[in-house]
Every structure is written in structure tokens, then in C-alpha cells.
Amino acid sequence: AQSVAQPEDQVNVAEGNPLTVKCTYSVSGNPYLFWYVQYPNRGLQFLLKYITGDNLVKGSYGFEAEFNKSQTSFHLKKPSALVSDSALYFCAVRDGNYQLIWGAGTKLIIKP
Amino acid sequence: NAGVTQTPKFRILKIGQSMTLQCTQDMNHNYMYWYRQDPGMGLKLIYYSVGAGITDKGEVPNGYNVSRSTTEDFPLRLELAAPSQTSVYFCASTKSLRDNQPQHFGDGTRLSIL
């Protein structure tokens, strides 16, 4: 069965430093992976997705994600964090029924 | 650009009461979803619909019902509210499943059952 794990409940980063939010997955077949962001009292917003092709995927707000097939990972990255990046981040994988299986979420806190 | 609109934003119910959470989208998306979000648990799929007149159960459908009479609307019904249904409910829609199109979310309904 498909699954996705976000091993960190919370990540703390100083403003201006690079950030990484981790995601690992388990799928049968080709993985289709997504990152979404949730700001307080709002719905989730799509950031980026990996379907096929380049292992480095670029998305909204300066975020990118690195797909690593051998490590079954899809970590979210940003070279220089902003305070406004503080939010809840969700990784998801598409299952065989074309539904999304969601990770538990990682709270990202960027300190000034 | 309205996107996905959910009403109400907040609601407090007593045990045993019923209510309908409304969801409408103006993007002409065929696929619509209801999720619940509990702290530290991610999103759990309650019901989904692939088009008007077609609905199917997700991972956690017990205690809920849905209908899809139009492309735009996908209401979620709680018949006998229970404390375990205290959660934040999100409606989402997408243009295509097979093409991996992103899901668009409403801002949620925060529901407390007391």
C-alpha cells in the first residue's frame, strides 16, 4: 500500500538560512508526489509536484523539491528562508485509485 | 476568483444534532473531495465524487453522507453528531485525476461537537 511519512513534526530555521522539510514515500510503481502548504486558518495550497523527468522540481514561492528514487525521498527545500514561509507543510503521494495519501504535516517556523 | 467556497466557517453542535457543510466551486471541476483534518494526523478522505450524480466512500466515511446533484455543489451531511467528529473539514476540487492536476481547497469549516 502507498504511504508517505514526514519524520519531523516541526522544523526551526533562522531567517536567511536554507531550509529542508523531509518526506519519504512507499509506492508500488511510479511515484507521483506533491507538496502543499497551509497557512493558519486557510486551506491547503499547491506548491509543486513530481511526475517524471528532472529530479529537481521547482515550485511556487521559491520552493523546490529533490526527488531521490534510491532513498525514496522527496524533500522540500528553499535556499533562503523568509519569516513568511512559516506554515504547515504537507507531502502527498498519489495512490492506485488516483487519490492522494497525505503525510501528517511538518510545522515550519522561521525565526527572525 | 472564488475557487472553492465552504460555509459555515465555524459551527458548534450538540451531540445528536445534524447539519450540512456546504461546498461549492466555480471552476467546472468534475472531481470533488471532502477531507477531515485532525491535529498531527494529516488529511483523511471522507467521500469523493467524480462527477454529478456519482459519489464514493473514502477512508473514513462512517457518520457522514454526501450528494452531488450539480457539478458545482458537494454538500457533506452529518446526521447524528458525535464528539469524534470534532475536526476541521476541507472541501477540495480538481480538474483531472489522471493528469495529476493539483487539488484546490476551500478555507475549511471548524466544527466542534459538545
Side-chain angles (χ1 to χ4, degrees):
Chain A
Q2 281 83 352
S3 65
V4 63
Q6 295 181 242
E8 302 154 317
D9 292 336
Q10 183 169 309
V11 172
N12 298 299
V13 178
E15 186 177 25
N17 283 359
L19 69 87
T20 298
V21 183
K22 296 180 180 178
C23 174
T24 59
Y25 66 90
S26 174
V27 299
S28 53
N30 294 324
Y32 300 98
L33 299 155
F34 302 79
W35 275 103
Y36 283 75
V37 60
Q38 184 182 28
Y39 298 103
N41 300 315
R42 300 299 302 275
L44 281 68
Q45 297 176 33
F46 170 76
L47 277 179
L48 51 80
K49 64 183 178 183
Y50 173 82
I51 306 302
T52 187
D54 291 341
N55 290 339
L56 188 64
V57 179
K58 294 189 181 299
S60 306
Y61 311 121
F63 283 91
E64 56 192 24
E66 186 173 10
F67 171 72
N68 188 315
K69 188 173 183 178
S70 62
Q71 297 186 3
T72 61
S73 67
F74 188 54
H75 299 334
L76 183 69
K77 299 174 184 285
K78 188 173 183 182
S80 179
L82 300 172
V83 172
S84 57
D85 293 329
S86 298
L88 193 55
Y89 290 80
F90 290 94
C91 182
V93 62
R94 198 192 80 179
D95 72 8
N97 293 321
Y98 303 96
Q99 308 301 339
L100 291 182
I101 306 300
W102 298 86
T106 298
K107 186 175 184 179
L108 177 64
I109 298 177
I110 309 299
K111 298 182 178 179
Chain B
N1 294 333
V4 179
T5 302
Q6 292 183 240
T7 57
K9 294 186 183 301
F10 306 93
R11 185 72 184 268
I12 298 174
L13 284 182
K14 294 182 179 179
I15 295 171
Q17 287 185 321
S18 62
M19 78 164 293
T20 299
L21 282 64
Q22 301 291 345
C23 175
T24 187
Q25 52 92 8
D26 62 359
M27 296 172 283
N28 200 33
H29 287 169
N30 282 326
Y31 305 94
M32 296 188 73
Y33 309 84
W34 274 106
Y35 294 98
R36 60 177 288 170
Q37 182 182 30
D38 299 308
M41 299 295 291
L43 297 178
K44 300 293 184 184
L45 182 63
I46 304 172
Y47 271 95
Y48 66 99
S49 170
V50 301
I54 306 169
T55 62
D56 208 346
K57 296 178 180 179
E59 183 181 359
V60 290
N62 292 342
Y64 307 94
N65 279 299
V66 294
S67 60
R68 185 93 181 272
S69 58
T70 67
T71 298
E72 295 78 18
D73 300 309
F74 190 41
L76 177 71
R77 179 83 176 163
L78 281 71
E79 291 294 349
L80 289 171
S84 62
Q85 294 177 307
T86 293
S87 189
V88 182
Y89 292 84
F90 288 100
C91 180
S93 72
T94 187
K95 181 178 181 180
S96 169
L97 290 175
R98 291 181 179 273
D99 294 339
N100 295 297
Q101 294 297 311
Q103 294 187 10
H104 299 259
F105 284 79
D107 285 338
T109 294
R110 285 148 186 83
L111 182 62
S112 294
I113 315 296
L114 304 176

